[in-house]
Amino acid sequence: MNDQIKGSDLKHTPHLPHDEGGPVFNAPWEAKAFAITVDLHKRGVFDWSEWCDTLADEIRSAQAAGDPDLGDTYYAHWLNALETLITAKKVSTAESLLAAKDDWRAADEHRGFGEAPVFVKGAAQPGA
Amino acid sequence: MPHDHPHAHNKPLSDVELRVKALESVLSDKGLIDPEAIDLIVETYETKIGPRNGARVVAKAWCDPAYKDRLLTDATAAISELGFSGVQGEDMVVVENTETVHNIVVCTLCSCYPWPTLGLPPVWYRAAPYRAKVVKDPRGVLEEFGVTLPEDTEIRVWDSNAELRYLVLPKRPAGTDGLTEEQLSELVTRDAMIGTDVLAAR
């Protein structure tokens, strides 16, 4: 394949991150966050320009807060923007997302060795 | 390489992993996403769509002058002739490198990128240093990529946005007269189609 950056030249450039033409996602969650966004858009939950505006805002405020924004935090911004847009569109609420996250954490803590976590809605609620 | 198969020890899910799982549960409960569609999108972008689509467009333009005319006039239509079209319905514009002009593409706001032809953007494309510097000092950025252009070459920087995506049509390398369209497409790099690479003579 001819798809390689001239890596030796780039190594001298501390502020210009680059790849080797390899996978564009660093972790499975990044791919999933990306795919959820694309699917929501396809189903008409938001326009792509709304998405771009939300993501650009997110990146701008991260930069303002001191993120050097070297591309490695890109999908963290993406995830923040996705949560923001979903709650702004009243598709879900911050509370519901947080509750589901707590349920997933509970599932994760209770899984057996080598087993996948089993999601139980409301598992993290008091008295459940 | 990250891998999914279970280990004898459990590594707790990270904060971001929990948030993505939460989104997935809440949105599929509401019927707003289909987990199978999600898996398909992931697979498609990870393995199927890549810069090879763009390379086929470029090679065809080098071999077929009529196609090249169509590509430079209405890139969206010409690219969809080959079966590639935008998931977001955005318009494509193809800009041609010549003896006197070199084009380079950026998205200064976020990272708009022609996914159907180039796959997903590389890390450096998404990074602030590239996004900021290429506008102010494109020649310096090209030097960092190991590309030195003649002093009198005009460099044009194209800023992508939500509605408009750019693809650079690189110059066909010298010494490739005898190659087939397929062989030519093998020579086209992703970076050449972003404008941060020039294709070397064979």
Side-chain angles (χ1 to χ4, degrees), chain B residues 57 60 66-86 89-94 116-117 164-165:
Chain B
V57 171
K60 188 168 175 62
Y67 182 75
K68 182 175 153 185
D69 283 346
R70 293 202 294 283
L71 187 64
L72 295 175
T73 321
D74 182 353
T76 310
I79 289 169
S80 68
E81 281 178 36
L82 299 188
F84 315 133
S85 57
E90 71 283 357
D91 276 325
M92 289 290 301
V93 172
V94 171
T117 38
L164 218 52
R165 308 293 162 96

Side-chain angles (χ1 to χ4, degrees), chain B residues 22-82:
Chain B
L23 279 170
E24 208 180 1
S25 309
V26 167
L27 295 170
S28 29
D29 267 4
K30 290 178 183 284
L32 286 172
I33 55 169
D34 170 3
E36 280 182 29
I38 298 294
D39 290 343
L40 190 66
I41 293 169
V42 169
E43 193 200 334
T44 305
Y45 277 95
E46 281 196 318
T47 59
K48 294 195 187 133
I49 299 183
R52 297 333 323 155
N53 288 358
R56 282 183 48 202
V57 171
V58 168
K60 188 168 175 62
W62 285 342
C63 296
D64 179 347
Y67 182 75
K68 182 175 153 185
D69 283 346
R70 293 202 294 283
L71 187 64
L72 295 175
T73 321
D74 182 353
T76 310
I79 289 169
S80 68
E81 281 178 36
L82 299 188

Side-chain angles (χ1 to χ4, degrees), chain B residues 137-149:
Chain B
D137 180 18
R139 207 168 271 276
V141 166
L142 287 172
E143 295 279 348
E144 287 168 8
F145 277 83
V147 174
T148 307
L149 294 174

Side-chain angles (χ1 to χ4, degrees), chain A:
Chain A
M1 293 291 282
N2 239 320
D3 193 28
Q4 299 207 344
I5 295 176
K6 296 166 186 77
S8 55
D9 294 323
L10 279 172
K11 290 213 173 65
H12 302 303
T13 313
H15 294 302
L16 197 63
H18 63 97
D19 62 9
E20 311 296 338
V24 284
F25 298 116
N26 298 311
W29 72 265
E30 295 182 351
K32 198 144 261 189
F34 166 81
I36 290 172
T37 311
V38 171
D39 202 31
L40 286 174
H41 164 68
K42 276 188 183 163
R43 286 153 192 265
V45 176
F46 45 75
D47 291 339
W48 199 254
S49 57
E50 288 179 283
W51 166 250
C52 288
D53 290 344
T54 312
L55 179 59
D57 281 348
E58 186 59 43
I59 291 174
R60 259 196 300 271
S61 47
Q63 283 181 326
D67 182 345
D69 190 19
L70 298 179
D72 49 346
T73 49
Y74 180 74
Y75 279 101
H77 306 324
W78 185 293
L79 179 56
N80 287 339
L82 182 56
E83 289 172 342
T84 301
L85 192 53
I86 282 172
T87 47
K89 287 265 163 192
K90 304 202 188 313
V91 170
S92 184
T93 60
E95 291 73 30
S96 309
L97 291 177
L98 206 55
K101 182 185 166 192
D102 287 341
D103 290 342
W104 270 111
R105 183 181 288 113
D108 189 41
E109 284 164 357
H110 292 105
R111 70 179 147 141
F113 280 132
E115 289 172 12
V118 180
F119 181 76
V120 181
K121 198 171 177 176
Q125 302 307 309

